[in-house]
Amino acid sequence: MTIRHLTHRRLATVLALAACAPAVHADNAASNLRPSGRFSVRPVATAATPPMGWNPWNAFHTQVTEAKIMAVAQVLKSTGLADAGYRYVNMDDGWWLKRRADGRIEIRTSMFPSAALPDGGTSFRPYVERLHSMGLKAGLYTDIGRNACSQSWDEHGANLPVGTRQEREIGTYGYQAQDMRLFYGEWGFDYVKVDACGVADFQAEKPFVKDGTYRALGPYMVRNRPDLSEPKVVERLYADLRAAIDAVRPDGDFILSICNWGEVHVTDWGKDYGQMWRTSQDISANWWSMLHNFDSSAGRALYAGPGHWNDPDMLEVGLGEFDADHPVEARAHMSLWAIINAPLVLGADLSKPAPVVLDIIGKRDVIAVNQDPAGNQGVIVARTADTEALVKSMAQAGTKALALVNRSAHPQALSVALARLNLDPAAPATMRDLWTGQERAVERGVISAELAPHETRLLLVRGLPELKNGVYLGEMPARINVAADGRTQISALRFASWVPAQVNASPAGTPLMVGGKRRDNGIGVLSDSRLEVRLDKEFSRFRTVAGANDDTARPLTFRVYGDGKLLFEQAGTQPVEIDVPVRGVDTLELVVEGKDREAGVVLATWADARLMR
């Protein structure tokens, strides 16, 4: 929303929230392109691998109780799921009773009887300590605005906050420091999910605002209308929340889960404040909803890594079209979440789990793909209208996870050459099906599969790396940070569907091109972008062919920096070969700058970008 569309009162609010925001991203393209000399992602304190756990929302909504949660916690322990990694036992909307005059939130003790204290107050400390005593971690839920999602979307539902209008304002807006001291400090929670309905769904024209039930706020986030949203305001609120958490947990031992459904450019700034952020709307227990949410994260490998993860929402295994009667779809869902490093947060009622559901969610070989310590999200290497293949580079050299996906309701055949996995097609290679355990040799350098409707085959492939003494940048997305993405060149609506920096594809999702030639390996970016690559002094040379991503000459300037020192610079309209020494360098930075007065947008490619040891 532009300033001229704001009322004077809302303008004052926006300016107040956006002021004095050192962590909040600036729009000044020139300053964003200056080298930082360092890898600027926060050091990993927790969530070095994607968080795993359980959330009651998809099974119980606001009808959750302490007894229901503890029944699932016992199953996590007794079945070995906790030992497999599912340790965060979370809760969602509906737990609060009201906010007292002193700002403290009271707990609904009819749902959580252990919260009742002898003095008439309430505390979640006994509940949290019970989970901790079981070797589990505890998660809570809140909102970035004044009110929660249930108050907007379930107006007549059970377990809504009670009391006066002010008492029913149980979101963190205006109470960030007090609530974080309560949640992470006094109560001892390890994980807090922070929703955003409070800044999206309480606009002045809503009936429940007009009648005085709730106060208006924003909207600072207009769903599916990024051109009308105010990203800096929402970012500022999450920045303030993170600062409040840091004051309580300076050791960084916590998780902040940002839930604003991929809106307001959260992929730009989510990693600065949270360990995970939603990339899509809420998931439903049907095939097409699952694929939609998967797609929202699948192209964003460069935005995730240890301590900061794309989150396409909870696992629906055990529910709807992924229940015990749909094992093919359930395994596909689990496989896709595993290969894109999605947080594995279960959503079904596990108090009486079906054996096939337990087998799927507890499959250690599949979980190991998700939890691989390198933290590289899988990247798409082949795609048709009905099929796709994703490859994830594992920590062990020459080892790849490969997902062969049939999105359709009809059988499909799919083949992928070893070369697309950056493995030597002339060298011996093996592949193991992680669901069946069957292992066999790869024949003639090609992996082929006949896929049943909705089937995903998840394979672990071992071979000889194609680069004998190096690695392509696309094989190590967890070590790349998109420090500036050039998005000011494109409209907000286009930005919602493009990914400004992608592995093996342009921001528009089209194939990589340089000098009229298609390139299978590389990073596609917008001009006015800067990538930070964490080298840790492990490499000796950087090599690439850089140019505009089409057959029309576009004026671009390419720069390469090592620890802030300029190593290469060249401007022009033709592709340029770059080969620079990087021995002893911790952080490599790749900058492309340029404008097109007619087109306005310039797509650029770092083709065959690779690091040699």
Side-chain angles (χ1 to χ4, degrees), residues 144 193-197 199-200 221-224 231 234-235 238 257-267 269-270 276-282 311:
I144 202 69
K193 172 184 172 183
V194 185
D195 230 326
C197 292
V199 294
M221 187 174 71
V222 181
R223 297 170 188 269
N224 302 312
V234 181
E235 182 186 352
Y238 280 101
S257 171
I258 297 173
C259 184
N260 57 18
W261 319 293
E263 303 272 6
V264 291
H265 310 318
V266 67
T267 51
W269 50 262
M276 51 194 281
W277 53 89
R278 285 280 299 281
T279 58
S280 63
Q281 298 298 319
D282 289 359
D311 177 15

Side-chain angles (χ1 to χ4, degrees), residues 17 40 44 145 174 210 243 245 293 301 330 383 440 458 580 597 604 607:
L17 287 169
S40 59
V44 176
K210 283 184 174 181
I245 299 168
N293 284 35
R383 177 185 281 160
R440 59 190 176 90
L458 187 62
V580 294
R597 293 180 180 178

Side-chain angles (χ1 to χ4, degrees), residues 154-171:
D154 192 16
E155 295 179 61
H156 305 292
N159 301 324
L160 294 177
V162 302
T164 66
R165 185 173 69 180
Q166 185 171 348
E167 288 174 327
R168 286 182 279 107
E169 292 178 350
I170 39 67

Side-chain angles (χ1 to χ4, degrees), residues 275-528:
Q275 288 82 9
M276 51 194 281
W277 53 89
R278 285 280 299 281
T279 58
S280 63
Q281 298 298 319
D282 289 359
I283 195 169
S284 297
N286 67 75
W287 180 252
W288 296 112
S289 173
M290 185 276 289
L291 286 181
H292 169 79
N293 284 35
F294 164 74
D295 291 340
S296 73
S297 288
R300 299 184 180 276
L302 295 173
Y303 295 83
H308 58 287
W309 307 103
N310 292 313
D311 177 15
D313 204 7
M314 291 172 273
L315 283 163
E316 295 278 31
V317 177
L319 296 167
E321 295 180 10
F322 308 100
D323 65 8
D325 295 328
H326 300 84
V328 172
E329 288 78 6
R331 291 187 189 101
H333 185 5
M334 185 75 182
S335 297
L336 295 180
W337 261 232
I339 202 161
I340 63 169
N341 289 358
L344 301 182
V345 180
L346 306 169
D349 178 5
L350 298 179
S351 59
K352 296 179 181 178
V356 66
V357 171
L358 286 179
D359 178 68
I360 291 170
I361 62 179
K363 194 71 172 179
R364 297 294 182 103
D365 286 345
V366 175
I367 292 171
V369 169
N370 179 266
Q371 297 288 298
D372 184 75
N376 294 313
Q377 180 175 315
V379 299
I380 299 167
V381 296
R383 177 185 281 160
T384 69
D386 295 319
T387 66
E388 61 192 321
L390 292 94
V391 175
K392 172 181 164 74
S393 296
M394 306 290 278
Q396 185 175 1
T399 303
K400 310 283 184 174
L402 173 65
L404 304 176
V405 186
N406 180 3
R407 300 169 66 101
S408 78
H410 306 283
Q412 301 287 341
L414 181 58
S415 295
V416 179
L418 278 180
R420 296 297 289 122
L421 281 64
N422 298 128
L423 296 176
D424 185 347
T430 62
M431 58 182 180
R432 179 162 61 91
D433 189 310
L434 296 182
W435 288 108
T436 67
Q438 182 181 10
E439 184 166 353
R440 59 190 176 90
V442 176
E443 298 179 358
R444 294 183 293 277
V446 177
I447 297 170
S448 300
E450 298 290 333
L451 301 172
H454 294 174
E455 182 183 8
T456 290
R457 198 79 54 85
L458 187 62
L459 307 172
L460 196 68
V461 184
R462 292 187 173 93
L464 186 68
E466 178 186 358
L467 293 178
K468 300 301 186 288
N469 196 32
V471 61
Y472 289 105
L473 292 195
E475 297 180 274
M476 47 184 278
R479 295 175 68 162
I480 300 175
N481 175 47
V482 183
D485 60 17
R487 63 178 168 84
T488 55
Q489 300 179 64
I490 59 179
S491 70
L493 291 174
R494 179 177 283 182
F495 181 79
S497 60
W498 285 25
V499 179
Q502 289 204 60
V503 176
N504 300 341
S506 80
T510 55
L512 291 179
M513 304 286 291
V514 171
K517 180 182 177 182
R518 178 167 176 166
R519 309 286 181 140
D520 287 334
N521 273 299
I523 308 293
V525 296
L526 296 170
S527 63
D528 291 350

